Amino acid sequence: MADRSFLSWPFFEDHHRVLAQDLEVWAKAQLAQLNHDDTDQTCRDLVASLGKGGWLAHSGAFDGRLDVRTLCLIRETLARHDGLADFSFAMQGLGTGAISLFGTDEQKSYWLTKTRNGSAISGFALTEPQSGSDVANSTMTATWDGDDYVLDGEKTWISNGGIADVYTVFARTGDAAGAKGLSAFVVPADTAGLTVAERLDTIAPHPLATLSFQNCRIPASALIGASGEGFKIAMSVLDVFRATVGAAALGFARRALDEAVARVTTRHVQGAPLADLQMVQGHIADMALDIDAAALLIYRAAWTKDSGAPRITREAAMAKLFATDHAQNIIDKAVQLHGGDGVRSGETVERLYREIRALRIYEGASDVQRVIIARQTLAQLESNL
């Protein structure tokens, strides 16, 4: 059983503690026997199940605000039980985050109802082959033609690509160069001209794809926010969900520690448990320390945002960087403590080892987070001079 004492920290309110307990009960009952043979179908089933359980109701904003502590608690708990469950929940929030925060009443009423009850799957189409983390370098265009926009270009590494019912798509509308020229659109997956160019396989199976937009015509009502605000919208959404990536990493790390403790207390070497060895105790201590440090950074960022901070760029970057990098170290230690069984296909720690690696890349790679933290720190120091 993972440590739950952190729920007594002052970052949380009573309703967060109740939610965490209820979700733990639900996850134990619903996620223990998941079949991962068909990744696409498993994700579809998970979205439907999460919707039926009421958990997707927490994936979007209410009254223009997202409860980031709730998002983090849900992602941490789901990730500890099953990586695809976390993925399915997270993408329902990220995929419609722009609609939640900046969409029209009509966009919210139609799409959020569907994504929150689990009847529609969402995707976030931002990354392009040549841009990656450099969002301002996006080249996909949205050209005004009559009463419509016409999308042309390509998006890649799109989560839920191929199974989503709707995508939030970012394209250049020509308002200005660089970051100021991007706009955001809601694009149904069945829109003519939108096709799946390639499905992408990774070490931890997830539904990922490259999307092609060729003369893809969408109405003016598909615009999210104002024209030219796409970069601001994307960063506002990522600002929130970047901290939740750290929470998912924390869930993986907690599960790895649980598995490691179970292993070293039951596995004997020369007539004594592995846990009696000081070197093993040192590994366990380092794992526990890194988990608590990651949790403090994650829930500081979430609490700061929930307390009214307009942006948490620095806090979220710190939380994601530390939690994901150190979760990989924690999981690696767990694999080592399992010996040969640690690399056996199908073992929990082997699955965690594959799951964690992508979190250090998507929604801003680790080195990009270092740049963000440095720039924010330098700017803060300069402003105090």
Side-chain angles (χ1 to χ4, degrees):
M1 176 67 179
D3 175 38
R4 309 291 284 170
S5 62
F6 74 98
L7 290 170
S8 65
W9 292 352
F11 292 124
F12 303 105
E13 300 171 27
D14 286 342
H15 70 89
H16 294 117
R17 300 180 180 96
V18 171
L19 177 141
Q21 182 59 43
D22 290 346
L23 179 57
E24 182 69 20
V25 172
W26 182 89
K28 284 182 177 179
Q30 299 296 323
L31 303 180
Q33 303 298 324
L34 276 180
N35 186 334
H36 288 78
D37 291 342
D38 184 336
T39 302
D40 287 1
Q41 189 57 49
T42 300
C43 287
R44 292 187 184 99
D45 292 344
L46 280 166
V47 168
S49 181
L50 288 163
K52 183 178 180 181
W55 303 111
L56 294 180
H58 302 285
S59 65
F62 292 91
D63 297 325
R65 294 181 63 250
L66 283 158
D67 187 334
V68 189
R69 285 169 292 177
T70 291
L71 290 172
C72 288
L73 282 170
I74 292 176
R75 290 205 66 179
E76 178 188 333
T77 303
L78 292 177
R80 182 160 46 79
H81 286 274
D82 187 89
L84 278 183
D86 161 64
F87 170 88
S88 298
F89 172 82
M91 286 312 305
Q92 291 299 94
L94 180 63
T96 58
I99 299 173
S100 287
L101 296 172
F102 300 95
T104 64
D105 289 342
E106 291 76 16
Q107 289 168 345
K108 293 176 182 178
S109 176
Y110 186 80
W111 285 113
L112 296 186
T113 299
K114 292 177 177 290
T115 57
R116 289 175 180 174
N117 67 25
S119 63
I121 296 175
S122 65
F124 188 74
L126 177 64
T127 302
E128 296 182 8
Q130 80 293 336
S131 60
S133 296
D134 185 10
V135 176
N137 193 36
S138 297
T139 60
M140 181 171 166
T141 59
T143 305
W144 184 250
D145 182 39
D147 295 325
D148 301 325
Y149 286 99
V150 179
L151 302 175
D152 285 288
E154 189 172 80
K155 298 290 183 179
T156 193
W157 295 110
I158 306 306
S159 295
N160 280 339
I163 69 169
D165 299 289
V166 62
Y167 298 96
T168 297
V169 180
F170 296 84
R172 190 165 297 285
T173 47
D175 301 88
K180 296 181 179 179
L182 297 177
S183 299
F185 302 90
V186 54
V187 184
D190 59 1
T191 302
L194 167 55
T195 59
V196 176
E198 181 186 9
R199 292 299 299 270
L200 305 172
D201 295 325
T202 57
I203 56 175
H206 291 78
L208 295 162
T210 297
L211 304 178
S212 175
F213 298 80
Q214 296 183 353
N215 197 34
C216 181
R217 188 174 291 270
I218 55 175
S221 60
L223 180 68
I224 302 172
S227 181
E229 290 186 343
F231 185 83
K232 181 190 78 172
I233 290 172
M235 293 304 103
S236 296
V237 173
L238 291 175
D239 212 33
V240 169
F241 281 91
R242 190 164 281 154
T244 77
V245 177
L250 178 60
F252 291 147
R254 288 196 195 276
R255 180 62 180 271
L257 178 58
D258 288 350
E259 296 293 326
V261 168
R263 176 75 174 192
V264 302
T265 54
T266 57
R267 184 80 167 186
H268 287 66
V269 174
Q270 297 179 347
L274 277 172
D276 285 356
L277 298 176
Q278 284 188 332
M279 185 173 291
V280 171
Q281 292 174 7
H283 290 323
I284 297 297
D286 288 343
M287 295 162 80
L289 174 63
D290 287 345
I291 283 172
D292 269 21
L296 285 164
L297 284 169
I298 291 160
Y299 289 111
R300 177 191 71 160
W303 173 85
T304 301
K305 184 64 176 177
D306 289 342
S307 297
R311 295 293 297 272
I312 53 168
T313 304
R314 181 173 179 268
E315 294 88 344
M318 285 183 168
K320 181 185 187 294
L321 173 62
F322 189 93
T324 56
D325 279 6
H326 285 266
Q328 175 134 8
N329 294 336
I330 290 164
I331 293 167
D332 186 71
K333 286 184 174 71
V335 169
Q336 194 71 21
L337 291 171
H338 277 72
D341 288 338
V343 292
R344 185 195 294 267
S345 181
E347 289 288 326
T348 298
V349 292
E350 181 268 343
R351 173 178 55 79
L352 291 169
Y353 192 83
R354 290 184 289 105
E355 287 275 9
I356 188 57
R357 190 60 185 86
L359 273 66
R360 296 175 60 208
I361 297 173
Y362 73 71
E363 292 189 41
S366 291
D367 286 340
V368 173
Q369 301 313 305
R370 289 182 172 89
V371 171
I372 291 171
I373 294 165
R375 288 177 176 172
Q376 292 277 317
T377 302
L378 291 168
Q380 186 177 50
L381 290 173
E382 290 172 1
S383 67
N384 292 330
L385 293 178

